[in-house]
Amino acid sequence: MSSQNNPTNGFNGEDSPLIQTKNLYKSYFNEGLETKVLFDINLTINKGEFVAIMGPSGSGKSTLMHILGFLDNHTEGEYEFHGKAARTMDEDMLAKVRATRVSFVFQAFNLLPRASIYQNVMLPLIYHPIIPAEERDSRVNKAIESVDLTDRTNFLSNQLSGGQKQRVAIARALVTEPELIFADEPTGNLDSASGIQVMKVLQDLHDSGHTIILVTHEQSTAEHADRIIELFDGRITRDTEEFKTRWAVDEDKLMK
Amino acid sequence: MLLSDTISAAMEGLKRSRMRSLLTTLGIVIGVGSVVLMVSIGASFERYILSQVESFSGDTFEIHAKGIQDVGKDVLSITFGDLEAISNLTTVKNIAPAIFLTDRVKYGREEIAPFVFGTTKEIFINWSMKPEYGRLLNDEDDRGAKAVVVLGSQAAEDLFTNTNPIGKRLTIGSRKFTVVGVMEAMGSPLAAQMDSMVYVPFSVAKAIQGRTTYIDYIALQSMGGDNELTRRDIVSLLRQRHNIDNPEDDQDKDDFYARSFEQAMDIIGTVTMSITLFLGLIAGISLLVGGVGIMNIMLVSVTERTKEIGLRKAVGARRQDILLQFLLEAIVLTLIGGVVGVIGALGLGYLLTMIANKLLGGITYAISLQAILLPLATAIIVGLVFGIYPARKAAGLRPIEAMGYE
């Protein structure tokens, strides 16, 4: 369901992995001073995965998410999305990718203040280059329905509780039906009940075929994912996918 | 992104900070409003002035010595010979010579000191004046040097108040004159001087003043309507007769003035237009200040809304989408300000004109379409010019820094 509206221009389609990084580095430069944030990140994420990126604060997990989500650029190495190098994309192309292929759920919700739920969920659609204007209304209503907020469609965002706000943010993230949803500490500002609700929604999205990359520092939240990547001081220190693969190989050997 | 989406995004943006949008707009309201108001005041003033003189035929010429302002001083230069020579020109008609008297005019206990014009009947044609009561001067009055007088409306009122002056005898200097006519009021402050004048036959004034050489003034009209040809005819004739070598047509060298009303009106038009332009320019400065206000507020708005801009970019807004949204916000602000300013200025201008009309009379409200459209267009341009920098700043933000992650 995710890619029916997505343009394929320049992307190698389904053959290449969704996300692949090779020796990716990221540094920030401030008044000539270089601060290295990410070191030698090698990562492959395939379509349909539910990945949690874990690590303590300052480990570089959010930076990694921003790079993978085209909100920020990397300093060295390669990042390929569907086989297309992010480096080769110009500003308009990046905007198009953000509009059509990825979406975000932020810890601070980032809703438009003094705008209704409806207007907030509508926002990505007005920048979508393909979805026709006639389809917008039904898409918005469907997205709001999927997070169970239909009865509050016309509420202003500042009239909502934290959990409701995050559900609006999720509705906004899925209204364009992107193939990849990033969630940055989606439960970080929520009480546990609301947090469970939000994670349930993300779980459902994954079950319906979306690729989800979750950034969190909480083990309990990360456990919703099928795969956990741990970062520490800008380096990947653990990737459960690799263990699984190795384990599978070992198992094969054992079987022989 | 559809244009309608951009427009509604811009409108939403403005609505979310209603008070600030309102105050910013006020700067433009005042700027555009004062331009329109000043220009309309200038235009009304110009129309008023021109309406004052439009009753005069533009073909009428006035010829007099330089220094006529100092009546009584011996600055005369136009002679009876000049008058004779001018009369022989083929490009002139209705020649009305005049000699002024400075004697006081008395009737009973009333006494005034008007401008007494010793002239012929042609003066009334040249000045487009009509009698209200009685008659004007005629050829017989002049030939017979009759002691008759025609009064300007104000002079008649000053001397006779409410009684009918026709047939009454009044005194000019030490001589008795019979009132034969009263002029129609010119009805405008600019021509008020004419209403106070008193007219006697040319021959009478000539005799009283004992003039044999000089006359004070000639009014005439050009024949065939080519004023410039008539002017050149008169000027070259008088220069020749006065031995003035002036091939460069420098009027400062002449010892006389020869000017058509048309020229005078042109001069008035130029002066009033300069006044209008000057007022408009001054007001334009306030429009500029309003524009700087727009830029200031848009910059604040961009700073305040960096998160929103970041979010818009994160969900797929392109650079040009953000640029257009913020530009539109600035333009909408200036356009609304412009429209309100124009409406306000039209209303205020109309009101001021009405008040001025009560006080002075004869003033009607004047405004040209350009005077409305130009400030409006300027307002939009101001929005564009002063909006472009903040809009570019907004559009250039990277989504990640805009969202406050760095």
Side-chain angles (χ1 to χ4, degrees), chain A residues 211-225:
Chain A
T211 310
I212 295 181
I213 299 179
L214 173 76
V215 168
T216 184
H217 65 277
E218 288 166 359
Q219 185 68 37
S220 58
T221 307
E223 275 165 3
H224 286 86

Side-chain angles (χ1 to χ4, degrees), chain B residues 1-146:
Chain B
M1 191 184 190
L2 303 172
L3 184 64
S4 58
D5 292 327
T6 316
I7 292 171
S8 68
M11 295 307 287
E12 287 296 325
L14 293 175
K15 258 199 278 178
R16 260 177 251 139
S17 49
R18 218 170 269 150
M19 188 63 183
R20 201 172 55 193
S21 305
L22 209 75
L23 289 173
T24 317
T25 308
L26 200 61
I28 295 297
V29 169
I30 293 169
V32 171
S34 48
V35 171
V36 174
L37 185 65
M38 288 304 149
V39 171
S40 74
I41 284 177
S44 304
F45 179 62
E46 183 177 343
R47 181 194 275 188
Y48 167 69
I49 301 276
L50 291 178
S51 76
Q52 299 295 304
V53 289
E54 77 189 356
S55 56
F56 300 108
S57 163
D59 297 343
T60 298
F61 277 75
E62 293 186 299
I63 302 163
H64 54 78
K66 277 190 177 169
I68 193 168
Q69 300 93 317
D70 314 304
V71 178
K73 286 186 192 163
D74 201 18
V75 287
L76 302 172
S77 67
I78 310 291
T79 64
F80 282 96
D82 293 338
L83 175 63
E84 181 74 33
I86 288 169
S87 310
N88 290 331
L89 289 173
T90 52
T91 49
V92 302
K93 62 177 180 185
N94 294 337
I95 295 146
I99 289 171
F100 307 145
L101 302 179
T102 48
D103 294 314
R104 300 179 80 79
V105 179
K106 280 177 253 175
Y107 176 76
R109 267 185 244 159
E110 301 297 336
E111 184 177 330
I112 56 172
F115 213 175
V116 181
F117 241 68
T119 188
T120 61
K121 68 175 200 309
E122 283 82 7
I123 195 88
F124 304 110
I125 302 167
N126 294 343
W127 286 0
S128 324
M129 295 173 90
K130 291 179 195 70
E132 170 110 57
Y133 309 109
R135 64 169 176 88
L136 300 175
L137 297 175
N138 58 33
D139 286 337
E140 274 168 47
D141 296 333
D142 196 44
R143 275 200 298 272
K146 288 183 182 163

Side-chain angles (χ1 to χ4, degrees), chain B residues 216-259:
Chain B
D216 291 313
Y217 175 92
I218 302 169
L220 55 80
Q221 284 191 314
S222 71
M223 186 100 91
D226 188 342
N227 289 340
E228 182 52 26
L229 183 69
T230 308
R231 189 191 72 83
R232 269 190 270 128
D233 262 5
I234 296 169
V235 164
S236 55
L237 177 71
L238 289 178
R239 281 176 191 156
Q240 192 193 333
R241 291 183 55 86
H242 294 194
N243 297 319
I244 297 164
D245 181 32
N246 189 3
E248 59 271 35
D249 198 12
D250 177 4
Q251 287 169 18
D252 288 345
K253 284 191 176 175
D254 297 337
D255 61 351
F256 60 89
Y257 285 114
R259 206 160 32 206

Side-chain angles (χ1 to χ4, degrees), chain A residues 118 122 125-128 131-141 175, chain B residues 1-2 4-5:
Chain A
Y118 186 88
M122 174 69 87
L125 291 179
I126 68 175
Y127 297 112
H128 201 287
I131 296 171
E134 313 83 73
E135 259 184 53
R136 289 177 185 176
D137 184 65
S138 63
R139 275 178 180 264
V140 170
N141 288 326
V175 73
Chain B
M1 191 184 190
L2 303 172
S4 58
D5 292 327

Side-chain angles (χ1 to χ4, degrees), chain B residues 204-405:
Chain B
V204 174
K206 185 184 160 195
I208 292 172
Q209 291 284 55
R211 292 276 182 83
T212 50
T213 314
Y214 291 110
I215 55 172
D216 291 313
Y217 175 92
I218 302 169
L220 55 80
Q221 284 191 314
S222 71
M223 186 100 91
D226 188 342
N227 289 340
E228 182 52 26
L229 183 69
T230 308
R231 189 191 72 83
R232 269 190 270 128
D233 262 5
I234 296 169
V235 164
S236 55
L237 177 71
L238 289 178
R239 281 176 191 156
Q240 192 193 333
R241 291 183 55 86
H242 294 194
N243 297 319
I244 297 164
D245 181 32
N246 189 3
E248 59 271 35
D249 198 12
D250 177 4
Q251 287 169 18
D252 288 345
K253 284 191 176 175
D254 297 337
D255 61 351
F256 60 89
Y257 285 114
R259 206 160 32 206
S260 68
F261 281 176
E262 186 186 51
Q263 276 176 282
M265 283 179 217
D266 283 350
I267 292 168
I268 292 171
T270 312
V271 169
T272 51
M273 200 161 84
S274 317
I275 293 172
T276 307
L277 255 165
F278 179 71
L279 290 175
L281 259 176
I282 298 279
I285 292 172
S286 66
L287 187 56
L288 197 73
V289 173
V292 175
I294 291 275
M295 176 149 75
N296 193 13
I297 288 302
M298 291 310 296
L299 278 176
V300 171
S301 181
V302 169
T303 312
E304 210 181 65
R305 284 156 65 193
T306 36
K307 278 206 166 171
E308 179 197 321
I309 296 161
L311 173 67
R312 286 179 187 275
K313 285 203 151 183
V315 299
R318 292 166 304 169
R319 204 186 139 77
Q320 57 263 44
D321 294 329
I322 303 292
L323 186 81
L324 198 61
Q325 181 190 335
F326 277 82
L327 256 188
L328 270 173
E329 285 190 24
I331 290 172
V332 165
L333 278 181
T334 47
L335 193 61
I336 291 175
V339 169
V340 173
V342 165
I343 293 170
L346 291 182
L348 194 62
Y350 187 74
L351 203 74
L352 286 176
T353 316
M354 289 299 106
I355 293 170
N357 188 39
K358 275 253 153 65
L359 298 175
L360 292 171
I363 300 180
T364 51
Y365 184 63
I367 183 79
S368 59
L369 196 62
Q370 292 104 293
I372 294 170
L373 293 182
L374 193 72
L376 264 187
T378 314
I380 295 170
I381 292 168
V382 161
L384 251 173
V385 169
F386 289 98
I388 194 100
Y389 175 66
R392 283 179 63 103
K393 203 178 155 180
L397 286 170
R398 285 195 304 140
I400 202 64
E401 61 184 331
M403 291 177 86
Y405 278 100

